[in-house]
Each structure stands twice: as structure tokens, then as C-alpha cells.
Amino acid sequence: MPVINVEELTDKDKAVMEVNQLKNEVKLERWLTSKCCEEIKEYIQAGVEEDILVKGIAEDKNPFKEKGGCVIC
């Protein structure tokens, strides 16, 4: 896909691009937000046992665990 410098386009070209974009968006299937939220919630709950962000990293497998303390003399 070629890169388009919008600053070099005429107002007509910009309007044509916007109309084409709107035509593409109209074709998209729309879903209710409540339905999407339920599906996302089910997806997250299905993988909660393996999700590191939910259960955390085991201390022995944590690559970011501090190796030693800092000593100031």
C-alpha cells in the first residue's frame, strides 16, 4: 500500500478518500457493546488459570527478581 502525503492532496481528493472510508465502514458488521463485553469476559475467565497478569509469576521463575540486596557503606 503506497504512502500518501495528505498535505499534497486537493480538497476534492481528501473528500473522495473520506467518502471511500465511510463506505468501507458502513459495510462492517456492528455488534452490541453488551454482547462484546460478555464474550470478552468469558474469554478472559476461560484463560484465567494460565494468565500471568492475573495469578502472578512464581518466585522461582521470575526473571526480574532481584538477585541480591543493595549495601551502602
Side-chain angles (χ1 to χ4, degrees):
M1 185 173 208
V3 177
I4 299 172
N5 187 355
V6 178
E7 295 173 359
E8 295 176 359
L9 295 176
T10 64
D11 287 340
K12 181 181 176 184
D13 291 335
K14 291 178 187 175
V16 167
M17 286 180 63
E18 185 173 358
V19 168
N20 289 335
Q21 179 63 32
L22 291 172
K23 286 180 181 179
N24 289 334
E25 290 178 17
V26 156
K27 295 175 190 173
L28 294 175
E29 180 182 356
R30 301 201 180 254
W31 296 350
L32 294 175
T33 303
S34 57
K35 181 181 176 190
C36 293
C37 289
E38 287 178 20
E39 290 181 9
I40 291 172
K41 183 179 173 184
E42 290 170 5
Y43 174 78
I44 292 170
Q45 289 176 343
V48 75
E49 293 299 321
E50 297 85 29
D51 194 340
I52 294 175
L53 294 176
V54 175
K55 71 175 193 168
I57 301 173
E59 286 294 321
D60 59 335
K61 295 182 180 179
N62 186 353
F64 303 105
K65 181 179 175 182
E66 289 189 28
K67 306 287 188 258
C70 178
V71 178
I72 299 176
C73 297

